[in-house]
Amino acid sequence: MTSPQGSLQNCRPDEPGNFIVRQQNPTGCCFTVPPLKCKLKARYKQSLDPTVDEVKKLCTSLRRNAKEERVLFHYNGHGVPRPTVNGEIWVFNKNYTQYIPLSVYDLQTWMGTPSIFVYDCSNAGIIVKSFKQFALQREQELEVAAINPNHPLAQVPLPPSMKNCIQLAACDASELLPMNSDLPADLFTSCLTTPIKIALRWFCMQKSAKLVPGVTLDVIEKIPGRLNDRRTPLGELNWIFTAITDTIAWNVLPRDLFQKLFRQDLLVASLFRNFLLAERIMRSYNCTPVSSPRLPPTYMHAMWQAWDLAVDICLSQLPTIIEEGTAFRHSPFFAEQLTAFQVWLTMGVENRNPPEQLPIVLQVLLSQVHRLRALDLLGRFLDLGPWAVSLALSVGIFPYVLKLLQSSARELRPLLVFIWAKILAVDSSCQADLVKDNGHKYFLSVLADPYMPAEHRTMAAFILAVIVNSYNTGQEACLQGNLIAICLEQLNDPHPLLRQWIAICLGRIWQNFDSARWCGVRDSAHEKLYSLLSDPIPEVRCAAVFALGSFMGNSAERTDHSTTIDHNVAMMLAQLLNDGSPVVRKELVVALSHLVVQYESNFCTVALQFMEEERNYAVPSLASTTEAGNLNPLRDSPAIPRLRSVSSYGNIRAATTVRNLNKSLQNLNLSEEGGPITFSPGNLSTSSSASSTLGSPDNDEYILSFETIDKMRRVSSYSSLNSLIGVSFNSVYTQIWRVLLHLAADPYPEVYDLAMKVLNSIAYKATMNARPQRILDSGSLTQSAPASPTSKGIHIHQVGGSPPMPSTSSSSLTNEVPKPAGRELPSARPPYTPTLGGQAPHSHQFTRTRKMFDKGPDQGADDGDEGVGHRNFITAAMQTGLCDWSAKYFAQPVMKIPEEHDVESHVRKEREWRFLRNALVRRQSQCITQRGITRLDDQIFINRNPGVPSVVKFHPFNPCIAVADKDSICFWDWEKGEKLDYFYNGNPRYTRITAMEYLNGHDCSLLLTATDDGALRVWKNFADLERNPEMVTAWQGLSDMLPTTRGLPRRVSIHLDRSKQGGSGMVVDWEQEAGLLITSGDVRVIRIWDTDREMKIQDIPTGADSCVTSLSCDSRRSLIAAGLGDGSVRVYDRRMGPNECRVVTYREHSAWVVKVHLQKQTEGNIVSVSVNGDVRFFELRMPDSVNVLQTVKGLTALDIHPQANLFACGSMNQFIAVYNSSGDVISNIKYYDGFMGQRIGAISCLAFHPYWPHLAVGSNDYYMSIYSAEKRMR
């Protein structure tokens, strides 16, 4: 702040106790200042030797002219009486003959608010105290007037509150101003108005100044340069002073006070920076400046020593500069501070105080010399996380980096893009500022620059996506900047994150902005986006679905052209129905909901038609069609409330038809007497046994008439479904409705819930809106479905979970499964929660960092009341949060070494321990198996399982065993004999668990369960005493499982007559090294899933008419061996095409193959066993078996030890036989251990440990037992 309101007042002692001041007294000055204007532009008025009336007139006129702007009142009270304890200062009377008091209360009234008061007089602290007392009195008067309108105070206008006023006083209430002839009398005012000169003068008066030869007070007056020219000595000192005082304030003051005083108003910031200097100088003369709001002491801060050093270096050059004209050497201050900041970044620990140099780094951005280095360090600091971005924003980074966008220097582009990406990932509220300053053009040029690295173009795409997000001005500006064309050119860039953000950016620019949509239509943007629907990265597919969904979601007026485009987009999106990634399917539901909202009346008509067709058609009870041997008959009612709790994960495509869903809609929710009608996800989900009308998801057509569904239900196979095409009701709306019915049966709970919301909303409106007229012919439902594309690249069948996983308040989802006591089911469904994990350097991880291990964002959409809330349920509020979740990537550290790669991290230490444990298990078990196993009947564990065991699986390295019954999983510690966990798998009642696999068993294990409806679920935190099990992901591994056999347990069905043979359910095999999951079962294909890419990569036709009963794969040879229900053993090479991949077929078994095992060695053979007990060994080079062993007949379970050349057979005749590779029986187990050991039950399942010679056996009497070699060998 300059000094228009006061000049330096030199004073000298004249007589003891008296001073003659060379200026008239008292001197006062008031002036107004517009907020955020430079101090040099402040308007001011002097009032020398004023009277009371003059002060009043001046203050009131300035307040009237200033309006809501800030007014500064400066009182220079040298040579007048001290302020009184009553809160009075002194002015002249009209005749200038004596001093009269002026109350601060009156001054407050005239000045109003906001104002700044500066008191430069002795005992100035008295004025500050009185001011606060009067301000409090005003607050009380305002409160009284507000409470009681009849009070006298309420009858007169009261001045505003004085809370927003700032006071600066030269000394405390009991202190006198310093009297030094070498300093100005108004030292406090001089510090506030000419800080650099006073600081230099004061520095020269210190003893340390004697170390700088040739510097005197006269030389200081000749220091060259201008304050605003940083290249000159005076300007550089002013720059350093600004940086140091800002730094002191930022490090000492509370954050909110720093923002108020140093960042909201340039005048206030300048005053308080200078006030910090005044405190330092005045305290050296035993005066304590006072401020309101009060500041912590700053005069001893360490940064003042840096200021002294900078002054010392500058002044030491003055004599030679003035006398000899040598060039000025710039101070190393900023370079040294940047080095200190760099040391903090490099050497500091995570939990530390913020770097005190941060305000200095921002000041350095003004210098071209240090700018590049400062930007680099600033970017590294912002990369530490959102807390670092918040700190930088609080210190005032925004205007600096906004100004730098005007720079054309190419070397700054990567740094500025990185910094802005970090800022916008934390605070996206600066869209308007960026567009106003044309900042968007900078990022458009970066995105369009082909020479920029893909990482920086990705950040530019993210920044532009933030600029256009729900901001019409930003959308218009970027549309004029050709954003759509720029994005479309890079849609197929090799960098997946760039593809993802290009799609999100496109989706946001035409969201509720019809001009951008039609621009996209002209550029065929929607057709170009189709290629991303088959992208190998799930997030990219998800972003493409989001973009196409918002493309359909515009609420502008519709034309035939736009309707046709919407239909084409919808039908392309429908092909993602069986995508393996839950987030893609969830985004698909939201995208289709946009279409439903746009064409609500058409979908209401479709819903009514479905319900009426269903009402007029009686569906026979499935119980009547159940086979006689079925121990688990299907329920005969479509509405069993039990399913809602947890089992509504279940797939509703089995057992009945879509009519059941709509039938239950009417039966449960429609009142025949016209009473209240309520639709809710809870009501609809009670019909989870209903089937969608969709056939094989691999079909190009999903058009099925109700006659076809009825015919399909009566046969025992879905295989005829592909060839039966309905002829009625084949509009786009019908097909999308069927897709939504299918998604409402998704095994993943959040997909299910979103789809149920859409169905409920339309069903509610269809029945409440006076029953609109039905449309029977498909032509009247506008356009029919476009021809399905022939390009197989468009058909996507992928797996996994990735970005956002919304939660839904309607079903009160938690992400943890309660552990049921006994056989009781939990009352809440377990939704999914992935963890954050990473790719291990030395092993295949089941997913990448952001896949199934990261839940992503939550959806925050309130459901409202059941009846009322569904009326407008599918609106813009329905979203998955994909964009916000994706943006978190830029808020997190990207330069930091991943924790699993940090050799000192806790995660790395745990992993190393696990690998050492694994090696020990392998080594010890190998020693035992190499000595030979002569018996295996030592019972080391027995316990009663909560349910009849159907599948059992040893953990390869932990002493833990998973036992699955029909729909739940129990975990036991077989060393301690303790039950660790028991939770519900989430599959519907009419399905059963038929297979389990440990994924990443060597590291952080996951458990995969497969059910006979084709659904796959992956769990974590199982057998964890501290955390509940959580679903990582779920998807439909096989989409066309045969419905009539699913209810038949295999152990029973394989003994039925061949004409009524039951199904095998779903069988799987896991390739840990390649991350591939091989699935098959009651289908005619072997489907291979890539869990890293979360997609189906191959369908291998089995070439047989019977089900696949067992799978075994060898990743090194790319071979898959499959045992089938017709007794054949088939070998496939997955490297070959679909028609050539079946390389060998063995037909030596005459009955159901119970187990097939492909040995992992290079020349490994195939071992297969049928239900008749014949064990056959096949060598791939030979057309026939090379060895045959005969065991007992009537096998229900069999397993082969992968290391010890053992195999065990379980029979319905209640015994277990263990054989060696020569066919000799080494153990025959018929009774449980004990004095009165009872006979074991019929064997339902058994499994060997992958390494130890342990055999786990489950039987129909609920008991689970484990047998081992002799105890002395264990």
Side-chain angles (χ1 to χ4, degrees):
M1 198 173 107
T2 54
S3 57
Q5 70 276 23
S7 59
L8 298 184
Q9 301 174 11
N10 295 320
C11 60
R12 58 178 176 79
D14 185 54
E15 295 178 3
N18 294 317
F19 291 88
I20 298 176
V21 182
R22 298 175 183 173
Q23 190 170 356
Q24 292 177 318
N25 292 300
T27 301
C29 177
C30 304
F31 58 89
T32 61
V33 184
L36 300 179
K37 295 287 185 182
C38 179
K39 58 196 176 185
L40 296 178
K41 298 179 181 178
R43 302 187 300 272
Y44 64 92
K45 282 190 177 182
Q46 285 187 330
S47 181
L48 306 179
D49 302 334
T51 63
V52 174
D53 292 338
E54 290 173 348
V55 172
K56 179 179 180 180
K57 179 180 178 182
L58 180 62
C59 291
T60 53
S61 66
L62 288 176
R63 168 50 59 198
R64 184 172 56 252
N65 295 331
K67 297 178 181 176
E68 299 301 322
E69 296 177 354
R70 197 178 295 276
V71 177
L72 187 147
F73 175 87
H74 175 249
Y75 174 67
N76 191 341
H78 293 263
V80 298
R82 300 171 187 173
T84 67
V85 293
N86 295 327
E88 297 166 327
I89 58 176
W90 298 92
V91 295
F92 275 120
N93 62 1
K94 292 183 180 180
N95 299 323
Y96 297 96
T97 57
Q98 62 181 6
Y99 295 119
I100 60 174
L102 169 62
S103 174
V104 173
Y105 186 90
D106 294 333
L107 189 62
Q108 288 178 341
T109 305
W110 303 334
M111 287 289 294
T113 185
S115 299
I116 303 175
F117 297 85
V118 180
Y119 315 118
D120 191 354
C121 61
S122 296
N123 309 108
I126 296 177
I127 309 177
V128 177
K129 292 180 181 178
S130 301
F131 189 99
K132 292 180 178 178
Q133 292 173 356
F134 292 142
L136 181 61
Q137 178 183 336
R138 290 177 185 278
E139 291 292 329
Q140 295 171 349
E141 292 173 355
L142 289 172
E143 291 177 5
V144 170
I147 295 173
N148 185 5
N150 298 323
H151 194 276
L153 287 174
Q155 310 304 320
V156 295
L158 292 173
S161 169
M162 304 304 291
K163 286 183 177 180
N164 199 23
C165 289
I166 296 171
Q167 300 180 82
L168 300 176
C171 57
D172 210 345
S174 59
E175 296 174 348
L176 299 177
L177 293 179
M179 291 173 283
N180 188 321
S181 58
D182 293 327
L183 292 172
D186 56 348
L187 177 61
F188 183 66
T189 299
S190 300
C191 288
L192 296 181
T193 55
T194 56
I196 303 301
K197 288 191 176 182
I198 292 299
L200 295 177
R201 176 178 287 270
W202 181 78
F203 178 82
C204 290
M205 294 171 62
Q206 307 305 305
K207 293 180 180 179
S208 59
K210 296 178 181 178
L211 298 175
V212 186
V215 176
T216 61
L217 293 178
D218 294 334
V219 172
I220 288 175
E221 296 297 330
K222 301 176 182 178
I223 185 169
R226 300 187 307 276
L227 286 172
N228 56 358
D229 187 354
R230 294 190 296 271
R231 294 169 298 181
T232 63
L234 189 61
E236 185 176 72
L237 282 176
N238 187 50
W239 185 23
I240 295 173
F241 175 79
T242 301
I244 285 179
T245 49
D246 258 11
T247 301
I248 293 173
W250 188 72
N251 283 285
V252 174
L253 270 60
R255 292 284 178 261
D256 55 345
L257 188 60
F258 176 81
Q259 285 295 317
K260 178 182 178 182
L261 301 181
F262 285 83
R263 288 298 179 262
Q264 292 183 359
D265 188 317
L266 291 181
L267 170 68
V268 175
S270 178
L271 273 176
F272 272 92
R273 275 196 294 266
N274 301 345
F275 178 79
L276 299 184
L277 174 69
E279 182 191 17
R280 187 188 191 207
I281 293 178
M282 299 291 284
R283 277 184 178 267
S284 68
Y285 297 105
N286 300 319
C287 282
T288 307
V290 180
S291 68
S292 176
R294 178 176 291 275
L295 304 186
T298 60
Y299 66 101
M300 292 294 289
H301 196 277
M303 287 303 295
W304 284 119
Q305 298 177 15
W307 165 250
D308 291 341
L309 177 61
V311 171
D312 189 295
I313 293 174
C314 178
L315 294 184
S316 64
Q317 302 180 56
L318 273 185
T320 56
I321 291 175
I322 295 174
E323 297 171 6
E324 304 175 11
T326 57
F328 172 65
R329 298 189 308 276
H330 291 284
S331 170
F333 170 79
F334 288 107
E336 291 169 352
Q337 294 299 319
L338 285 179
T339 301
F341 186 57
Q342 184 175 357
V343 169
W344 185 92
L345 286 171
T346 307
M347 308 302 294
V349 294
E350 283 200 15
N351 299 322
R352 48 187 159 166
N353 294 324
E356 65 177 18
Q357 298 86 7
L358 191 56
I360 298 176
V361 175
L362 297 190
Q363 288 290 328
V364 176
L365 294 178
L366 301 173
S367 166
Q368 291 186 353
V369 177
H370 304 293
R371 183 175 294 160
L372 195 63
R373 184 186 178 197
L375 283 173
D376 177 55
L377 294 176
L378 182 60
R380 288 170 55 187
F381 174 71
L382 297 180
D383 189 55
L384 295 178
W387 64 270
V389 177
S390 299
L391 278 179
L393 290 173
S394 72
V395 84
I397 184 179
F398 189 82
Y400 292 85
V401 290
L402 185 62
K403 180 88 171 172
L404 286 175
L405 292 181
Q406 300 173 11
S407 170
S408 59
R410 285 187 62 86
E411 64 272 12
L412 298 184
R413 281 187 169 190
L415 298 171
L416 285 174
V417 169
F418 183 85
I419 288 170
W420 271 104
K422 289 292 178 181
I423 293 173
L424 291 174
V426 175
D427 181 9
S428 60
S429 61
C430 48
Q431 299 163 300
D433 297 295
L434 274 172
V435 176
K436 181 181 177 182
D437 287 14
N438 289 322
H440 65 284
K441 294 182 179 178
Y442 188 88
F443 302 110
L444 281 169
S445 65
V446 172
L447 182 59
D449 187 353
Y451 297 102
M452 286 293 289
E455 291 80 5
H456 298 126
R457 283 183 285 133
T458 301
M459 293 176 188
F462 162 68
I463 294 167
L464 291 165
V466 173
I467 290 175
V468 300
N469 184 29
S470 303
Y471 182 50
N472 189 254
T473 306
Q475 289 174 315
E476 291 178 355
C478 289
L479 180 62
Q480 292 175 1
N482 242 358
L483 174 61
I484 292 179
I486 294 172
C487 287
L488 292 177
E489 289 176 1
Q490 306 186 53
L491 208 54
N492 295 310
D493 190 273
H495 194 64
L497 198 59
L498 177 57
R499 298 197 302 272
Q500 177 184 345
W501 275 103
I502 287 291
I504 292 176
C505 191
L506 287 171
R508 280 182 166 179
I509 192 174
W510 56 48
Q511 200 165 34
N512 300 320
F513 186 40
D514 210 44
S515 299
R517 171 191 158 93
W518 284 110
C519 178
V521 170
R522 289 190 293 272
D523 290 344
S524 300
H526 56 294
E527 296 177 0
K528 293 175 181 176
L529 277 167
Y530 291 162
S531 63
L532 295 188
L533 296 180
S534 56
D535 197 275
I537 306 300
E539 290 89 336
V540 178
R541 302 198 300 272
C542 197
V545 174
F546 165 77
L548 292 170
S550 64
F551 186 82
M552 291 190 299
N554 280 336
S555 56
E557 185 178 351
R558 292 291 165 180
T559 63
D560 289 343
H561 185 203
S562 63
T563 300
T564 303
I565 292 173
D566 284 347
H567 288 178
N568 290 332
V569 171
M571 294 310 296
M572 288 301 299
L573 288 175
Q575 297 177 45
L576 290 176
L577 171 65
N578 286 290
D579 191 284
S581 173
V583 289
V584 175
R585 302 196 303 274
K586 285 196 302 88
E587 199 65 49
L588 174 62
V589 177
V590 175
L592 295 180
S593 74
H594 295 319
L595 187 79
V596 172
V597 170
Q598 294 296 328
Y599 303 96
E600 185 178 279
S601 60
N602 302 88
F603 280 99
C604 286
T605 305
V606 170
L608 279 177
Q609 180 71 38
F610 268 63
M611 288 190 285
E612 185 160 337
E613 287 277 350
E614 170 205 27
R615 186 191 307 125
N616 296 333
Y617 190 89
V619 181
S621 170
L622 277 170
S624 63
T625 63
T626 310
E627 301 293 345
N630 189 350
L631 298 183
N632 294 304
L634 298 177
R635 59 174 184 246
D636 56 2
S637 168
I640 296 183
R642 172 186 183 254
L643 279 179
R644 177 54 187 163
S645 59
V646 221
S647 62
S648 48
Y649 292 111
N651 195 315
I652 53 177
R653 294 186 307 136
T656 60
T657 70
V658 70
R659 296 185 189 81
N660 296 73
L661 177 63
N662 298 298
K663 186 76 172 179
S664 60
L665 261 176
Q666 291 183 329
N667 293 341
L668 291 173
N669 301 321
L670 301 183
S671 173
E672 294 295 326
E673 290 75 29
I677 302 172
T678 302
F679 282 81
S680 71
N683 291 338
L684 260 178
S685 62
T686 58
S687 61
S688 293
S689 65
S691 164
S692 100
T693 59
L694 302 173
S696 168
D698 298 332
N699 271 356
D700 290 343
E701 291 287 344
Y702 295 117
I703 308 168
L704 298 172
S705 69
F706 292 112
E707 291 77 15
T708 305
I709 295 293
D710 181 60
K711 187 179 298 184
M712 180 268 300
R713 192 188 63 80
R714 292 180 184 276
V715 297
S716 61
S717 170
Y718 263 133
S719 59
S720 60
L721 196 106
N722 296 343
S723 59
L724 298 173
I725 303 300
V727 293
S728 66
F729 226 97
N730 60 348
S731 73
V732 173
Y733 307 114
T734 308
Q735 295 185 70
I736 298 304
W737 184 257
R738 287 170 172 156
V739 170
L740 289 170
L741 287 172
H742 187 105
L743 290 167
D746 199 271
Y748 191 78
E750 292 167 5
V751 179
Y752 162 91
D753 282 326
L754 283 173
M756 292 305 291
K757 289 179 181 181
V758 180
L759 293 175
N760 279 324
S761 178
I762 293 301
Y764 181 87
K765 292 176 182 178
T767 53
M768 293 299 290
N769 294 342
R771 296 186 178 271
Q773 182 181 0
R774 290 189 300 111
I775 301 176
L776 295 178
D777 66 306
S778 60
S780 58
L781 287 175
T782 69
Q783 311 289 334
S784 60
S788 297
T790 56
S791 170
K792 293 301 178 185
I794 301 299
H795 292 269
I796 352 249
H797 309 283
Q798 300 144 335
V799 209
S802 73
M805 300 296 163
S807 63
T808 49
S809 56
S810 64
S811 55
S812 303
L813 289 180
T814 63
N815 281 341
E816 297 181 344
V817 184
K819 301 179 182 180
R823 290 287 295 156
E824 293 182 3
L825 294 177
S827 59
R829 296 189 304 127
Y832 152 86
T833 315
T835 61
L836 195 59
Q839 185 81 12
H842 31 254
S843 66
H844 172 82
Q845 284 287 22
F846 183 53
T847 57
R848 290 185 297 278
T849 300
R850 46 187 204 289
K851 292 296 183 301
M852 302 174 185
F853 290 80
D854 192 353
K855 176 182 180 184
D858 293 333
Q859 172 193 354
D862 294 333
D863 290 6
D865 297 329
E866 288 290 327
V868 179
H870 285 294
R871 300 184 189 184
N872 299 309
F873 201 75
I874 43 174
T875 61
M878 178 175 283
Q879 54 185 341
T880 62
L882 163 75
C883 302
D884 294 336
W885 180 89
S886 301
K888 290 180 181 178
Y889 168 82
F890 298 100
Q892 301 305 318
V894 297
M895 302 180 190
K896 182 182 176 183
I897 300 176
E899 196 173 8
E900 58 269 19
H901 295 169
D902 183 358
V903 294
E904 299 297 327
S905 69
H906 184 65
V907 171
R908 181 62 176 261
K909 296 293 184 184
E910 285 184 345
R911 174 163 288 160
E912 290 175 352
W913 175 86
R914 282 192 292 268
F915 287 180
L916 290 173
R917 174 206 63 186
N918 300 349
L920 182 64
V921 169
R922 292 190 189 99
R923 187 167 58 250
Q924 291 179 347
S925 62
Q926 187 178 13
C927 291
I928 295 176
T929 56
Q930 284 179 346
R931 289 199 299 263
I933 307 298
T934 58
R935 55 179 298 184
L936 201 151
D937 56 4
D938 178 19
Q939 182 178 293
I940 61 173
F941 170 86
I942 185 169
N943 226 312
R944 183 178 172 87
N945 203 59
V948 176
S950 62
V951 185
V952 59
K953 196 77 175 176
F954 276 103
H955 189 283
F957 302 106
N958 284 337
C960 171
I961 187 168
V963 184
D965 51 47
K966 182 173 176 290
D967 53 13
S968 300
I969 306 160
C970 188
F971 290 89
W972 297 90
D973 185 324
W974 50 264
E975 283 189 345
K976 298 179 180 178
E978 298 175 353
K979 183 166 72 172
L980 301 174
D981 209 343
Y982 181 54
F983 65 90
Y984 181 51
N985 185 54
N987 50 294
R989 294 184 66 174
Y990 57 84
T991 63
R992 58 193 172 89
I993 300 173
T994 59
M996 288 192 300
E997 287 287 347
Y998 283 103
L999 315 180
N1000 300 339
H1002 61 290
D1003 200 1
C1004 299
S1005 302
L1006 302 171
L1007 181 74
L1008 177 137
T1009 63
T1011 52
D1012 60 355
D1013 60 352
L1016 295 164
R1017 294 170 177 83
V1018 180
W1019 298 89
K1020 69 171 184 176
N1021 298 343
F1022 51 85
D1024 191 323
L1025 301 179
E1026 298 178 356
R1027 295 174 293 179
N1028 283 335
E1030 297 177 17
M1031 182 184 285
V1032 177
T1033 187
W1035 74 97
Q1036 200 67 28
L1038 296 170
S1039 48
D1040 45 5
M1041 294 285 282
L1042 310 184
T1044 56
T1045 58
R1046 287 210 301 251
L1048 297 172
R1050 184 177 62 182
R1051 63 181 182 275
V1052 176
S1053 63
I1054 58 180
H1055 298 290
L1056 300 178
D1057 180 72
R1058 291 305 113 195
S1059 62
K1060 299 180 180 179
Q1061 179 170 289
S1064 61
M1066 190 178 188
V1067 292
V1068 301
D1069 196 27
W1070 167 245
E1071 282 192 9
Q1072 179 68 51
E1073 294 81 5
L1076 299 180
L1077 183 69
I1078 291 86
T1079 62
S1080 192
D1082 295 327
V1083 288
R1084 302 296 174 261
V1085 297
I1086 297 173
R1087 183 161 294 171
I1088 304 176
W1089 297 91
D1090 185 335
T1091 55
D1092 192 43
R1093 295 157 64 186
E1094 302 187 32
M1095 65 189 302
K1096 184 196 78 172
I1097 60 172
Q1098 193 174 1
D1099 269 354
I1100 299 176
T1102 60
D1105 291 332
S1106 59
C1107 59
V1108 176
T1109 61
S1110 178
L1111 284 173
S1112 181
C1113 61
D1114 184 356
S1115 59
R1116 296 178 183 176
R1117 294 182 286 174
S1118 299
L1119 295 179
I1120 299 172
L1124 280 80
D1126 61 2
S1128 64
V1129 175
R1130 302 174 184 233
V1131 182
Y1132 306 90
D1133 189 333
R1134 58 183 177 84
R1135 295 169 294 186
M1136 304 173 69
N1139 298 326
E1140 300 86 24
C1141 59
R1142 179 157 55 98
V1143 291
V1144 181
T1145 301
Y1146 300 104
R1147 301 184 184 275
E1148 298 187 17
H1149 292 294
S1150 60
W1152 181 289
V1153 177
V1154 179
K1155 177 77 174 181
V1156 63
H1157 174 66
L1158 178 58
Q1159 295 174 342
K1160 304 295 184 183
Q1161 296 89 348
T1162 306
E1163 301 294 331
N1165 295 336
I1166 296 174
V1167 184
S1168 64
V1169 188
S1170 78
V1171 69
N1172 290 333
D1174 54 326
V1175 181
R1176 297 183 180 271
F1177 296 81
F1178 300 97
E1179 188 177 333
L1180 287 174
R1181 293 172 294 182
M1182 306 297 290
D1184 301 315
S1185 58
V1186 295
N1187 192 13
V1188 180
L1189 302 175
Q1190 184 60 46
T1191 63
V1192 296
K1193 292 189 177 182
L1195 293 183
T1196 56
L1198 182 137
D1199 197 24
I1200 301 169
H1201 198 291
Q1203 311 290 337
N1205 291 324
L1206 301 175
F1207 60 92
C1209 306
S1211 171
M1212 286 193 71
N1213 299 324
Q1214 299 176 276
F1215 72 89
I1216 308 156
V1218 183
Y1219 299 83
N1220 60 20
S1221 57
S1222 302
D1224 302 325
V1225 178
I1226 63 171
S1227 293
N1228 205 328
I1229 304 169
K1230 295 184 179 180
Y1231 299 93
Y1232 296 118
D1233 282 0
F1235 174 67
M1236 295 288 289
Q1238 68 184 57
R1239 183 70 182 259
I1240 63 176
I1243 307 303
S1244 59
C1245 59
L1246 54 80
F1248 276 111
H1249 193 284
Y1251 299 102
W1252 294 112
H1254 296 341
L1255 175 66
V1257 180
S1259 55
N1260 282 347
D1261 57 5
Y1262 289 83
Y1263 276 97
M1264 186 70 225
S1265 54
I1266 298 179
Y1267 300 92
S1268 177
E1270 296 180 9
K1271 290 184 179 180
R1272 59 184 175 82
M1273 297 183 65
R1274 286 172 45 230

